[in-house]
């Protein structure tokens, strides 16, 4: 089978910079594609937090010229490294004014006012870098609104460029809520001509919508689960783009994310107190005890511990949790929460922790090792999301034998099978309605199962730990989508060696 040259760009990539699952995906998918024999290159910004020494990043010779419309040509430095554990090259676009900041997108929750320029710059720099490297990609793969300008550039400023004459484009939508909407003046920075400022392309309510333009101009789009691909065609989940997405439905894919089981695996994990696996579960008890110690909770093996890790954003159902928390804490349970995000939520959950010190532990902040320890030390993992394109934590939880309690939306519905007490089937607990009552009722069901149905619990844990969501499988679906996009663009298959 012919091998492809693939250029993937994203705003965040594990382990260099991460705020959520996008980074996990872009840190893992390229490695899996490489294993299939493809020539994959990754591009991201060199934020202030990207540690050049730790990852042995080397400066590339010369600077990269990046045309920025009316701003004129800007110059970027480029650092080169590899994705750890692979030979996949990753390039970091260095530009002090755009990326030499602490935050990726914001400071203290306030979005940077020049995010349009920053990510137009990243998208254009990725294209320019391909030229500088003489890479001539078969596929450019953009991720979310941050790099959605790449397929737009391909069809406009690079339409006649021989370096891209065999290139097709793919856009992954990890989260449709964020679309990159800006003042229309950004058209002049894109430099593609105002004829593209129409409601069929980039215009929306007299402003510019980068994701919309990306959807229109890509040859294939991927929503990160089949259910989410279906949901975003509806007004409930489409954030105003449902009509456009339905219109482009034939090029819409729903490939579920995989998991990097080298990083998220209780038998290998170096960040948890004790390793364990399906056949030797004793280590999980030690992890539970250590977790209780970390959060100053009573050291009890007999009480169910429910973990939560994630961005404290509306998407994650934190308002449902806030509403239900009083009732939940009447049960004999412990809850541990790790997260950062909306200020009201940070304050609210910190207050709950100080009111119920024996039942509720919280860490407000971002802490990777603690995320692993919560996966390992909890009995249940709660994700009451209002919408969830894929969701990775529930998939990690399965592998750690920590039963997910989820709202049946997007990838949560696709990955978790509800417990059926009579057959012993299932690997978690699901609720459907987005309400505090439904959340409460389902946690209660899980807690009752913990206390009164030990056999059922054992079976559930076994089922969960057996489940596989590897990138090996998902990357093959990406391969198919890439080939589809080539056919869609050129009418015939244009792959080459
Ligand atoms: P999303 O991308 O919407 O945030 P996902 O479930 O896909 O949701 O991925 C979230 C990822 O970010 C997981 O790897 C999770 O462990 C990590 N994460 C989120 N918040 C934190 C935090 N406060 N500390 C450490 N890791 C976090
Ligand atoms: C987004 C989504 C999340 C998904 C992740 C990776 O941030 O919110 O559900 O798992 O991207 O695709």
């Amino acid at each position: 089978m012919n091998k492809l040259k693939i250029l993937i760009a994203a705003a965040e990539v594990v382990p260099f910079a991460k705020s959520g699952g996008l980074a996990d995906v872009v840190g893992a998918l390229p490695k899996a594609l490489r294993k299939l024999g493809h020539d994959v290159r990754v591009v991201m910004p060199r934020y202030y937090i990207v540690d050049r020494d730790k990852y042995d990043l080397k400066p590339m010779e010369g600077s990269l010229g990046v045309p920025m419309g009316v701003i004129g040509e800007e110059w970027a430095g480029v650092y080169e490294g590899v994705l750890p554990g692979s030979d996949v090259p990753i390039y970091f676009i260095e530009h002090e004014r755009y990326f030499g900041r602490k935050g990726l997108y914001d400071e203290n929750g306030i979005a940077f006012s020049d995010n349009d320029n920053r990510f137009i710059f990243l998208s254009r720099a990725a294209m320019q870098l391909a030229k500088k490297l003489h890479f001539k990609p078969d596929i450019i793969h953009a991720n979310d609104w941050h790099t959605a300008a790449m397929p737009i550039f391909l069809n406009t400023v690079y339409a006649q460029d021989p370096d891209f004459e065999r290139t097709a484009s793919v856009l992954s939508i990890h989260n449709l809520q964020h679309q990159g909407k800006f003042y229309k003046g950004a058209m002049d920075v894109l430099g593609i001509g105002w004829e593209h400022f129409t409601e069929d392309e980039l215009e929306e309510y007299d402003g510019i919508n980068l994701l919309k333009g990306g959807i229109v101009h890509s040859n294939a789009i991927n929503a990160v689960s089949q259910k989410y691909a279906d949901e975003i065609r509806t007004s409930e989940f489409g954030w105003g783009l449902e009509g456009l997405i339905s219109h482009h439905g034939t090029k819409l894919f729903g490939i579920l994310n995989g998991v990097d089981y080298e990083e998220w695996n209780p038998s290998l994990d170096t960040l948890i107190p004790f390793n364990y696996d399906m056949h030797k579960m004793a280590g999980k008890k030690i992890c539970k005890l250590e977790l209780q110690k970390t959060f100053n909770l009573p050291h009890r093996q007999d009480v169910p511990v429910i973990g939560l890790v994630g961005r404290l954003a509306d998407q994650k159902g934190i308002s449902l949790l806030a509403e239900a928390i009083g009732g939940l804490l009447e049960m004999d349970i412990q809850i541990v929460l790790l997260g950062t995000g909306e200020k009201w939520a940070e304050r609210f959950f910190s207050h709950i922790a100080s009111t119920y010190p024996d039942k509720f532990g919280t860490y407000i902040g971002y802490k990777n090792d603690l995320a692993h320890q919560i996966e390992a030390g909890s009995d249940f993992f709660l994700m009451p999301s209002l919408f969830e394109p894929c969701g990775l934590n529930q998939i990690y939880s399965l592998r750690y034998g920590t039963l997910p309690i989820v709202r049946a939306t997007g990838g949560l519905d696709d990955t978790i099978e509800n417990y059926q007490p009579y057959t012993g089937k299932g690997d978690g607990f699901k609720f459907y309605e987005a309400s505090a009552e439904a959340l409460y009722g389902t946690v209660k069901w899980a807690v009752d199962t913990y206390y009164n149905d030990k056999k059922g619990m054992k079976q559930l844990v076994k089922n969960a730990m057996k489940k596989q969501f590897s990138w090996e499988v998902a990357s093959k679906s990406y391969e198919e989508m890439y080939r589809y996009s080539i056919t869609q663009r050129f009418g015939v298959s244009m792959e080459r060696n």
Side-chain angles (χ1 to χ4, degrees), residues 319-330:
S319 47
L320 302 186
L321 178 64
E323 207 183 319
I325 198 81
L328 293 179
L329 291 174
E330 282 172 17

Side-chain angles (χ1 to χ4, degrees), residues 66-209:
V66 183
M68 286 285 281
V70 284
I71 296 176
E73 186 158 54
E74 301 234 52
W75 295 91
V78 180
Y79 278 86
E80 187 179 352
V82 290
L83 286 180
S86 78
D87 63 355
V88 175
I90 173 159
Y91 303 93
F92 298 84
I93 305 299
E94 165 132 320
H95 189 281
E96 186 57 32
R97 188 157 44 79
Y98 289 141
F99 301 129
R101 313 175 187 183
K102 229 173 159 192
L104 309 190
Y105 315 112
D106 58 53
E107 197 174 331
N108 294 324
I110 301 181
F112 295 129
S113 60
D114 59 349
N115 272 345
D116 45 358
N117 290 358
R118 298 173 75 226
F119 290 104
I120 288 173
F121 180 76
L122 172 65
S123 305
R124 191 72 196 258
M127 301 295 282
Q128 291 292 98
L129 180 66
K131 285 174 74 66
K132 188 174 158 90
L133 296 170
H134 306 291
F135 186 56
K136 298 193 178 184
D138 296 293
I139 300 290
I140 51 166
H141 182 167
N143 291 275
D144 277 348
W145 73 265
H146 322 108
T147 44
M150 291 170 73
I152 304 174
F153 286 138
L154 182 66
N155 284 358
T156 53
V157 290
Y158 297 109
Q160 309 301 327
D161 191 320
D163 286 342
F164 294 107
E165 67 185 0
R166 303 171 76 107
T167 307
S169 58
V170 168
L171 171 68
S172 284
I173 301 176
H174 300 266
N175 193 332
L176 192 60
Q177 182 178 17
H178 307 290
Q179 298 178 4
K181 297 185 189 189
F182 299 101
Y183 172 62
K184 63 183 168 190
M187 282 304 290
D188 283 328
V189 179
L190 279 171
I192 58 174
W194 281 87
E195 66 273 23
H196 299 285
F197 190 67
T198 66
E199 60 175 325
D200 293 338
E201 290 191 49
L202 277 80
E203 188 264 346
E204 188 186 88
Y205 298 118
D206 202 35
I208 183 175
N209 183 330

Side-chain angles (χ1 to χ4, degrees), residues 20-23 25 144 173-175 224 257 311 315-316 387-392:
L22 168 63
V25 171
D144 277 348
I173 301 176
H174 300 266
N175 193 332
V224 286
N257 291 328
R311 294 180 294 113
Q315 168 193 349
K316 301 292 175 185
F387 73 94
E388 195 62 75
C390 176
L392 294 171

